[in-house]
Amino acid sequence: RKEVEQDPGPFNVPEGATVAFNCTYSNSASQSFFWYRQDCRKEPKLLMSVYSSGNEDGRFTAQLNRASQYISLLIRDSKLSDSATYLCVVNPAGSARQLTFGSGTQLTVLP
Amino acid sequence: DVKVTQSSRYLVKRTGEKVFLECVQDMDHENMFWYRQDPGLGLRLIYFSYDVKMKEKGDIPEGYSVSREKKERFSLILESASTNQTSMYLCASSLRGAPKNNEQFFGPGTRLTVL
């Protein structure tokens, strides 16, 4: 079983739609959680951290469910510029340095 | 802005050749990482370094070695390239210590093809 699993998609949605991605992780002792974004042919960049209480950054909302070991990302009012691959990322328990990346969910926002 | 640069965007090598991939960061980060990214497999950690001359194996170190002689520079070496090492190679760096170490800054990647 992969440490971090994501639905690869692709998700094709019209502009203005709301779209949600889920991610599950296998290590119940994992400490920190993140979403990174990777544009086509570009490097990954940190989108947002995920906190236990849930957190919001503009149109983006991230949630963590420790009991079920999953993380979600909700994008409201999708823009064409949101088209990218979204990587779920976990800091394994006890690791001060390493991150474990999911294989990503591809999103295309259509005009 | 943090800048991580990699020596080549595209590289074509032959089986058995020795390959050097260079990575330089300009923000005085302690941690540096080498990943490879393959479709369906995501980013997999090859090696990382948390200080000059220090290195630790990641998840897939076989067939690779690394060198960190200066803080800003982290090199990945393929001693004898093989076709299954054809991939996108990404270098990253981060500060030491949580929570800042959770944000890794990536270089643009090197697409290596081994024929």
Side-chain angles (χ1 to χ4, degrees):
Chain A
R1 184 186 172 188
K2 288 184 182 177
E3 288 187 57
V4 179
E5 293 208 58
Q6 296 182 248
D7 180 345
F11 284 64
N12 298 317
V13 302
E15 265 188 294
T18 295
V19 61
F21 310 134
N22 289 329
C23 157
T24 58
Y25 60 94
S26 59
N27 187 340
S28 60
S30 295
Q31 301 290 325
S32 309
F33 310 89
F34 312 91
W35 286 100
Y36 275 64
R37 170 190 168 132
Q38 186 171 21
D39 291 339
C40 187
R41 302 190 212 285
K42 298 280 192 179
E43 70 273 20
K45 292 184 180 179
L46 178 66
L47 177 66
M48 58 196 302
S49 301
V50 186
Y51 303 117
S52 297
S53 54
N55 50 298
E56 198 171 296
D57 183 2
R59 297 180 293 106
F60 297 82
T61 301
Q63 297 236 306
L64 168 64
N65 184 319
R66 284 191 185 271
S68 301
Q69 293 179 217
Y70 81 76
I71 306 149
S72 64
L73 177 68
L74 182 79
I75 305 175
R76 291 182 300 278
D77 189 22
S78 301
K79 310 289 184 195
L80 296 177
S81 57
D82 294 333
S83 297
T85 296
Y86 291 83
L87 306 173
C88 177
V89 184
V90 174
N91 184 323
S95 172
R97 308 175 190 100
Q98 292 188 57
L99 298 176
T100 300
F101 288 79
S103 54
T105 298
Q106 186 181 341
L107 171 67
T108 301
V109 180
L110 304 168
Chain B
D1 271 356
V2 175
K3 194 164 184 186
V4 181
T5 57
Q6 296 183 226
S7 50
S8 306
R9 290 301 303 272
Y10 300 94
L11 209 52
V12 179
K13 295 291 182 180
R14 297 208 174 271
T15 301
E17 282 193 80
K18 191 168 186 175
V19 182
F20 292 87
L21 302 182
E22 299 279 326
C23 174
V24 178
Q25 49 93 6
D26 66 359
M27 284 304 289
D28 204 34
H29 284 175
E30 293 85 3
N31 300 331
M32 295 189 75
F33 308 83
W34 274 107
Y35 296 89
R36 63 178 283 177
Q37 185 173 30
D38 301 287
L41 298 177
L43 276 81
R44 292 181 290 166
L45 182 64
I46 304 171
Y47 267 97
F48 66 99
S49 168
Y50 52 90
D51 205 346
V52 176
K53 298 193 186 294
M54 306 301 288
K55 61 184 179 185
E56 286 193 28
K57 292 180 179 179
D59 299 319
I60 51 164
E62 297 77 19
Y64 303 94
S65 62
V66 290
S67 172
R68 188 141 180 227
E69 296 296 318
K70 294 184 178 182
K71 189 175 185 180
E72 67 272 17
R73 190 178 296 270
F74 192 35
S75 303
L76 180 70
I77 302 144
L78 287 66
E79 294 289 342
S80 178
S82 62
T83 54
N84 63 11
Q85 292 179 309
T86 292
S87 186
M88 171 67 82
Y89 289 87
L90 288 159
C91 174
S93 70
S94 72
L95 287 165
R96 177 183 295 161
K100 292 181 178 178
N101 64 317
N102 289 317
E103 182 169 11
Q104 293 187 9
F105 295 86
F106 285 83
T110 296
R111 183 163 292 283
L112 172 68
T113 302
V114 183
L115 301 175

